Amino acid sequence: MVQQEMRKGPWTEQEDIKLVSFVGLFGERRWDFIAKVSGLHRTGKSCRLRWVNYLHPGLKRGKMTPQEERLVLELHSKWGNRWSRIARKLPGRTDNEIKNYWRTHMRKMAQEKKRAAAAASSPSSSSASSKSSTGEGSSYDTGDPTNNVISSTEIQITGEDRAREEEGYSMDDIWKDIAVSEENKSEDGCNFSCTPSWEYSTSDSLWVMDEEESKILNPFFPYYEQGMPFL
DNA sequence: AACGGACGCAACCGCATAACT
DNA sequence: AAGTTATGCGGTTGCGTCCGT
């Protein structure tokens, strides 16, 4: 009955510490349970997210390397918005991070494209922006509000790898184009098949291992020793 | 120095699916 | 086999910071 109100919004350092210690005790499962016993007035979902995206000891922080960036482009062209899947190929990066990166990247690309088109064609390129360009986020994921719908559905429905092969020219293709053109622009000819040694060899297993490993190495609070993000 | 817009990141929400009873 | 609960995923939003005017 007297249901505690759930806290929302940014996490405090105290909450982080608490969460880390309880995850140390109970493992990365039973998030609702952890949320309850820890006394954090957060949902299990929220706890999990905080852990996965911020507190997890294996996380890399900071800017994406050019290799990572290219890998993201490559994998996105293959898999679409399967962020978690892509993230598995990038040890230490989270789906959220990659998603954010992609959005940012696409925003830049879209702007550059627009600018280029405007410059190349007519001085009065009016049709370019259907929506007040500058700002709003949510559509960048797939480019356009409308396309957004198309893309995500399509990807989800046809699922696995390539929806576009059956459809005509999907949003994925469009993004792929962008990605490819970017790749060509910035590339020396080496494409993704000659990716640097770290990624595939370490990828899944290492990234997945991390959590297991950390538990083994120090069942209690390994994170403090590895440098907590917030410390 | 103040203001406004763009950017980056963290977090929330809703839905789908897996796991459990 | 059906119902319930927990977990994972993708999309979206909010907010602080940075940067140009």
Side-chain angles (χ1 to χ4, degrees):
Chain A
M1 28 200 94
V2 193
Q3 218 174 27
Q4 294 261 22
E5 277 172 38
M6 289 298 162
R7 270 179 54 75
K8 282 188 184 181
W11 283 64
T12 65
E13 197 169 318
Q14 294 304 317
E15 288 178 307
D16 281 344
I17 291 170
K18 224 178 206 181
L19 179 58
V20 167
S21 59
F22 276 87
V23 172
L25 285 172
F26 298 110
E28 302 174 44
R29 299 251 113 214
R30 309 300 313 270
W31 291 107
D32 281 336
F33 173 75
I34 287 176
K36 206 174 290 173
V37 299
S38 65
L40 293 162
H41 298 141
R42 301 275 185 173
T43 64
K45 239 178 174 181
S46 177
C47 292
R48 175 186 162 271
L49 210 63
R50 182 63 178 171
W51 173 260
V52 167
N53 286 333
Y54 194 79
L55 298 173
H56 194 288
L59 291 179
K60 257 187 217 168
R61 306 196 69 79
K63 278 196 66 135
M64 297 256 229
T65 67
Q67 289 92 342
E68 287 174 316
E69 291 179 1
R70 263 190 271 148
L71 191 55
V72 168
L73 294 177
E74 156 77 352
L75 295 177
H76 185 273
S77 73
K78 261 203 249 172
W79 295 334
N81 297 0
R82 298 274 201 232
W83 304 118
S84 60
R85 194 168 171 182
I86 293 172
R88 268 173 236 137
K89 295 291 178 194
L90 288 143
R93 301 294 184 188
T94 68
D95 55 349
N96 211 26
E97 202 175 359
I98 292 169
K99 194 162 52 177
N100 283 333
Y101 164 75
W102 181 259
R103 275 190 51 200
T104 304
H105 179 82
M106 282 305 123
R107 187 187 296 161
K108 270 185 209 152
M109 292 304 299
Q111 273 169 4
E112 273 171 31
K113 255 194 157 181
K114 208 184 290 176
R115 222 178 300 143
S121 64
S122 62
S124 59
S125 60
S126 51
S127 56
S129 58
S130 55
K131 148 178 201 164
S132 75
S133 55
T134 60
E136 244 341 307
S138 46
S139 50
Y140 286 111
D141 223 358
T142 44
D144 245 320
T146 39
N147 293 331
N148 194 9
V149 176
I150 293 168
S151 168
S152 51
T153 343
E154 177 179 283
I155 288 168
Q156 244 142 33
I157 291 172
T158 52
E160 285 315 287
D161 286 341
R162 32 185 105 77
R164 55 189 126 88
E165 284 181 9
E166 337 169 355
E167 292 290 315
Y169 195 73
S170 74
M171 273 310 292
D172 260 3
D173 291 297
I174 297 169
W175 294 124
K176 188 176 178 181
D177 278 354
I178 295 172
V180 166
S181 70
E182 143 110 347
E183 176 190 341
N184 291 338
K185 202 191 327 171
S186 65
E187 231 357 270
D188 32 307
C190 165
N191 73 14
F192 302 113
S193 51
C194 64
T195 39
S197 50
W198 58 266
E199 33 121 297
Y200 286 115
S201 49
T202 54
S203 62
D204 288 25
S205 46
L206 202 160
W207 179 219
V208 172
M209 269 291 288
D210 272 346
E211 39 201 74
E212 292 303 306
E213 231 171 10
S214 64
K215 270 185 229 153
I216 294 163
L217 292 176
N218 183 347
F220 298 106
F221 312 110
Y223 327 109
Y224 292 106
E225 274 146 356
Q226 299 181 16
M228 288 282 289
F230 59 85
L231 291 180

